Amino acid sequence: MTSANQTSPEQSEAWRLFQAGDLDAAATLCRESLTNPAGTELQGLLGLIHAQRGEHELAEQALRKAAALRPDDPALAHNRAEVLRQSGRIGEAARAFKELLARFPEFLPSYESLLPLLQAEVERLRAAGLPDALRQAQAELASLWNHRGNALLSADDGVGAEASYRQALAIDPQYASAWSNLCNVLCLGGRAFESEEAGRRALALSPQLPQAWNNLGIALSDQGRLSEADDCFARALALKPDFSEVFHNAGSGQLFNTLLSPSFGGADILQRHRAWGQRHPVPVDAQHPWRAPGAWPNRRRRIGVMSSDLRTHAMQHFLDPLLQHHDRTEFEIVCYAHVPCPDALTRRFMAHGHRWNWIHALSDDQLAAQLRADELDLLVECNGHTRGTRLRAMAHKPAYRQASWLGYLGTTGLPTMDYRLTDEWVDPLGLTEAQHTETLVRIPGGLCAYRPHEQYPPVQAPPCLREGDVTFGSLNSLMKLNPQVVELWSTLLKAVPGARLLLQAKQLADWGTLGRVRGMFEMCGVSADRLILRGASSDFLHSYQGIDIALDTFPYGGGATTCDALWMGVPVITCPADRSAGRLTNSILHQIGCAQWIARDPAHYVELAAALATDVPELARVRRALRDMMERSPLCDGPGFAQRWQSVITTLC
């Protein structure tokens, strides 16, 4: 049985009595209050009381009434189905669970109740020797396991989702959709080669399955096989022209990949982004009557902040200081959360007290209409072309002014995007203007502030003191590892005899990726015994206790990973690229006063890292001092950053 939230005094008292075991008093209070506004919830509680007493008929009647009064509450319908099951009315219970899951496919408790019922039916039909009915029941059971996997994946339980998909395939090895879903969850877990195999199994069974083509494309993209991925996305769109996820993967997703690849120069990146943006021209009705002369309301400036990362995500460390310290006297902040599954970090953001809108379920047209109705003076989006982007809604120009900030360090290419907020180190004057369709607006002192993790381990002495040799390391996404990075890191390892390189990323849990990475280094003359390759870990901050010096990637560098390394006392060596995406570490090091770790060129990068590797006393000094330096720097000054951010946006709207 599941319970609803308790909101009214009557509910709270009735639930208290129920949980204390005083069923008679709880039932009396429920009956007395059924005519009150809280009566619906209490009707459901009355059903639970009857169920606990074994009064199944009365329980079913009460819960049926409660479910009819609140048809959008799956817990009430679930409890009624549970009562039917407990009273032995198995057929009715199974139908009730199926009806519930048809309406609420992500309601996990009903899967746990229905699966045993279907499994028992399968066993009954097998024992009765009814092959046709057995095959139908097995197909239904496999489908339920598959949909349970989808529900678990929506709840961010990738491990449970994988197990469910595999259970579906154990029942029906020819289940193409389950193979496709397995392809997806394996890719999300960094197991791109296994994912590719599952995707190809799905397509061998069902070549016309658009989701399988999309998932295979993602797996190939994660392996750097971009042209093959493009072909998969094209096949998916040909089969399903309105496939929104593929629109992202074939459009924004591939644009993001250009920032990662050294094969694309600034002009080519701009051309591809601009071509995407030109498919979304400025609408002729992009007027903002609330800003017309004489009509501008006498109110605070209204600023929208839109992101899919108002949850547990690397961006949390930069969004939180801004939202926490924003001046409410001059500005009204409206948050637009493209978040399907809110979590503890979402609740933290909401606690800052700004207006809040959930936009995950809105189409681009619906979102644009809501944004326009909110009469925003400035809309700041934090996704760019990353997953969860809502740029197509911004193509309507729903806000008076529109800007992109931090989540995508490059141009959006969108004609209606007025600005990109940056700083003097990510975008030095004269370096990257020609790579943008937006006007670059520099925030003095840095484009972001960093909030450390709420829980973090203590800083320990450099591991070289106990290991004898230096360990370089990187916890950046493996998508940032390219042949040029491998070649430079290999040169460094050969320049520092005995040194090792620790890489940790979710993709390294995949045997194929593991072999590919080892092969890349072996081709550069570095043997496997000098590499420490690990899959992702939930306690990744502890991994920095095993790293003496962190190495930044290029042309796409670190951001949150750089801050995390520095917070754990680990110096970071960087070589700023010629594009914005490769210069955030440059900004971070300037903000904390450690510009001495910024290289002029690749040769200087090796020189800096090798020199630091041989200076153990300096490594120990840095280890002791770095966290305190960060805490006292502008990078960790949330109120100061919010004030600087506000001073800039005042000039924009």
Side-chain angles (χ1 to χ4, degrees), residues 268-285:
D268 194 11
I269 292 172
L270 174 65
Q271 185 276 327
R272 288 169 180 260
H273 283 74
R274 178 176 279 146
W276 181 90
Q278 287 173 348
R279 296 199 293 270
H280 306 282
V282 180
V284 295
D285 62 342

Side-chain angles (χ1 to χ4, degrees), residues 328-341:
R328 290 171 175 77
T329 61
E330 187 175 354
F331 299 92
E332 178 187 3
I333 300 297
V334 186
C335 295
Y336 298 91
H338 183 82
V339 179
C341 298

Side-chain angles (χ1 to χ4, degrees), residues 258-320:
T258 65
L259 301 185
L260 293 161
S261 174
S263 302
F264 295 98
D268 194 11
I269 292 172
L270 174 65
Q271 185 276 327
R272 288 169 180 260
H273 283 74
R274 178 176 279 146
W276 181 90
Q278 287 173 348
R279 296 199 293 270
H280 306 282
V282 180
V284 295
D285 62 342
Q287 304 299 315
H288 307 94
W290 66 91
R291 292 288 305 225
W296 195 19
N298 183 21
R299 59 164 168 77
R300 295 174 293 167
R301 289 178 175 84
R302 186 170 295 155
I303 311 298
V305 177
M306 183 165 65
S307 176
S308 68
D309 301 327
L310 293 161
R311 56 185 175 89
T312 301
H313 186 275
M315 273 290 288
Q316 75 192 47
H317 301 288
F318 308 111
L319 285 165
D320 191 64

Side-chain angles (χ1 to χ4, degrees), residues 44-328:
L45 176 56
L46 185 60
L48 295 184
I49 294 170
H50 286 307
Q52 190 149 324
R53 287 171 163 171
E55 300 165 350
H56 294 122
E57 186 173 346
L58 292 174
E60 192 275 331
Q61 292 173 1
L63 288 165
R64 179 159 30 87
K65 290 178 182 177
L69 289 168
R70 293 192 62 181
D72 292 330
D73 186 347
L76 294 170
H78 172 82
N79 289 342
R80 174 181 173 267
E82 268 295 307
V83 167
L84 291 170
R85 184 186 67 81
Q86 292 171 7
S87 63
R89 297 158 66 179
I90 302 302
E92 292 178 73
R95 284 192 296 276
F97 284 126
K98 291 174 188 177
E99 291 170 1
L100 189 158
L101 289 172
R103 295 187 60 223
F104 303 99
E106 295 182 359
F107 192 71
L108 282 164
S110 289
Y111 288 100
E112 313 314 317
S113 296
L114 181 55
L115 280 167
L117 300 184
L118 293 189
Q119 183 63 51
E121 178 66 5
V122 165
E123 298 304 325
R124 185 187 70 80
L125 293 170
R126 180 179 287 114
L130 300 171
D132 292 340
L134 175 61
R135 281 191 294 272
Q136 183 176 348
Q138 287 176 320
E140 187 176 14
L141 182 59
S143 176
L144 192 65
W145 278 109
N146 181 54
H147 285 92
R148 178 180 182 267
N150 295 340
L152 286 166
L153 192 58
S154 294
D156 206 24
D157 181 0
V159 174
E162 179 186 347
S164 282
Y165 297 141
R166 292 194 184 279
Q167 186 65 42
L169 291 167
I171 298 168
D172 182 3
Q174 308 301 307
Y175 194 172
S177 290
W179 280 113
S180 174
N181 290 333
L182 182 62
C183 169
N184 179 46
V185 75
L186 289 172
C187 195
L188 291 172
R191 295 148 68 183
F193 280 81
E194 290 182 70
S195 173
E196 178 188 351
E197 182 181 353
R200 295 196 185 281
R201 289 285 297 271
L203 289 167
L205 293 165
S206 180
Q208 304 303 307
L209 190 60
Q211 187 65 55
W213 283 109
N214 177 60
N215 292 340
L216 177 59
I218 297 171
L220 294 171
S221 181
D222 278 5
Q223 296 174 45
R225 297 156 64 182
L226 302 185
S227 61
E228 293 176 77
D230 281 340
D231 291 341
C232 290
F233 297 141
R235 293 287 295 271
L237 284 175
L239 292 166
K240 187 178 179 182
D242 61 345
F243 201 157
S244 60
E245 184 180 350
V246 183
F247 270 116
H248 168 79
N249 294 332
S252 289
Q254 296 303 82
L255 291 176
F256 174 68
N257 288 337
T258 65
L259 301 185
L260 293 161
S261 174
S263 302
F264 295 98
D268 194 11
I269 292 172
L270 174 65
Q271 185 276 327
R272 288 169 180 260
H273 283 74
R274 178 176 279 146
W276 181 90
Q278 287 173 348
R279 296 199 293 270
H280 306 282
V282 180
V284 295
D285 62 342
Q287 304 299 315
H288 307 94
W290 66 91
R291 292 288 305 225
W296 195 19
N298 183 21
R299 59 164 168 77
R300 295 174 293 167
R301 289 178 175 84
R302 186 170 295 155
I303 311 298
V305 177
M306 183 165 65
S307 176
S308 68
D309 301 327
L310 293 161
R311 56 185 175 89
T312 301
H313 186 275
M315 273 290 288
Q316 75 192 47
H317 301 288
F318 308 111
L319 285 165
D320 191 64
L322 177 64
L323 296 179
Q324 180 179 0
H325 299 293
H326 221 289
D327 179 11
R328 290 171 175 77

